[in-house]
Amino acid sequence: MIEFLLHPGSGVSPYLQIVQQVRQALRLGLLREGDRLPTIKTVVAQLAINPNTVLKAYRELEHEGLVAPRPGAGTFVLRTLADDTVTAHDPLRADLRAWLDQAWQAGLDDDSIEALFWTTFRVARREAGSKEDVA
Amino acid sequence: MTAVVRAQGLGKRYGRRRALSECTVDIPAGRVVGLVGPNGAGKTTLLRLAVGQLTPTTGSIEVLGGRPAADAAQLSRVGYVAQSTPVYSGLTVEEHLMLGDRLNPRWDMRIARDRIESAGLDSRQRAGRLSGGQRAQLALALAVAKRPDLLILDEPVSALDPLARREFLSGLMESAADTGASVVVSSHVVGDLERICDYLMILVASRVRLAGDIDELLASHHQLIGPRRDPTTLPGAEVITARHTERQTTLLVRAQRPVDDPAWTVAEIGLEDLVLAYMKADAASLSPMEVLR
């Protein structure tokens, strides 16, 4: 069973945060086929959010073919998003960890590290995108 | 579409003072509606009209298709938690539940006990010795165990500390999920409503300034930042507020379609900023009149 977290200042709507967290759990193998998602009542009580928000998130996941409701029993995972890239996670995590150590040693604080990561990520993403356009 | 609350030109006066004016709204069923506005805007008046504790001076109000407090059946379908969550201080928690059972035809003791238990209340405790948060939880349990179709709460968390607030709102949402009741809750703190509501009504100076689905409201309001412009009109958009510095103009506009003008940098707006902008816009437009008086 997974637990959801909401980041109020993130600018991402609560329903989308739930969708993203389920997708992420499916990608990382934290949720597998046949697993049950927390009931709407549980999520609502834990996060103090509107039941319609959770319902909307679960419908979206259902629409994507990732989960399906079973009447009276709950909402269950139909397929995972974990693919062959999962095997690459461990070495990549180790690299990232080593990079983080370097950044701390160089005296960067957490905010600077995050800012550096995201700006680099966005630039790389844009460059990769424009290459695809040319090809 | 079915409406849980339908008001037509609804107004209430206390002597010469207008508490609510020309209120026309349709609140859809199955929603969690947030009623926000500064103190004295008329929130409590509107809610007390909806539960039938007040009668309108002008216009009409229908709740769940009937007149508020018209008969026992109508009363049993509406749960109400009043401001400051009143309880009988001499009675124990359990005695409150027994009283609820006697007085309400649709009373569900299991729901009441579940709520008391998940709020961590001791059923032998006298209500007078409960903390503010616990008293609010008791008032919620009493309102929910009636199995109402509509639950109305007037500033239920305004006097509570952050932890008790969160616990109360979580209990409220759990009850809403459980019973499927529509909820109308008022507050002057937008942050409390942001998580739990999907429909918003802004009440300022006795008038409804804005009402609608929160996602739609957020999608149709944009913040524009650009070089200073003086006649602040924009084709196809309603300007809600305009702020100027020497070189820059910041606008909040309402527009169905995205603003497509390269002179402006467009930013989305959060719920709290949206509500504050409407309150401020009204304060600005009202102040000249106050001066005349």
Side-chain angles (χ1 to χ4, degrees), chain B residues 248-259:
Chain B
Q248 209 179 43
T249 292
T250 306
L251 301 180
L252 173 68
V253 301
R254 185 176 196 186
Q256 288 315 317
R257 269 171 305 167
V259 178

Side-chain angles (χ1 to χ4, degrees), chain B residues 2 15 19-20 26 43 49 59 79 120 126 147 160 190 206 241 259 291:
Chain B
T2 51
L20 193 69
D26 259 356
K43 302 189 293 290
L49 285 163
R126 285 192 195 288
R147 287 192 294 131
L160 305 184
V190 185
S206 91
T241 56
V259 178
V291 173

Side-chain angles (χ1 to χ4, degrees), chain B residues 68-90:
Chain B
D71 50 35
Q74 175 78 18
L75 279 170
S76 75
R77 294 178 67 199
V78 180
Y80 177 51
V81 176
Q83 214 163 1
S84 75
T85 56
V87 289
Y88 298 100
S89 55

Side-chain angles (χ1 to χ4, degrees), chain A residues 5-8 13-15 40-42 44-53 56, chain B residues 30-32 114 166 169-171 173-178 194-199 215:
Chain A
L5 275 177
L6 281 193
H7 307 285
S13 71
Y15 113 88
I40 290 178
K41 196 179 149 182
T42 315
V44 153
Q46 186 216 331
L47 298 178
I49 57 167
N50 188 316
N52 294 334
T53 304
K56 191 171 164 191
Chain B
R31 311 298 291 262
V32 180
D114 279 0
R166 174 57 68 84
L169 295 177
S170 134
M173 287 301 98
E174 199 179 0
S175 308
D178 239 1
E194 195 159 14
R195 291 171 88 101
I196 65 165
C197 298
D198 50 26
Y199 194 96
D215 288 342

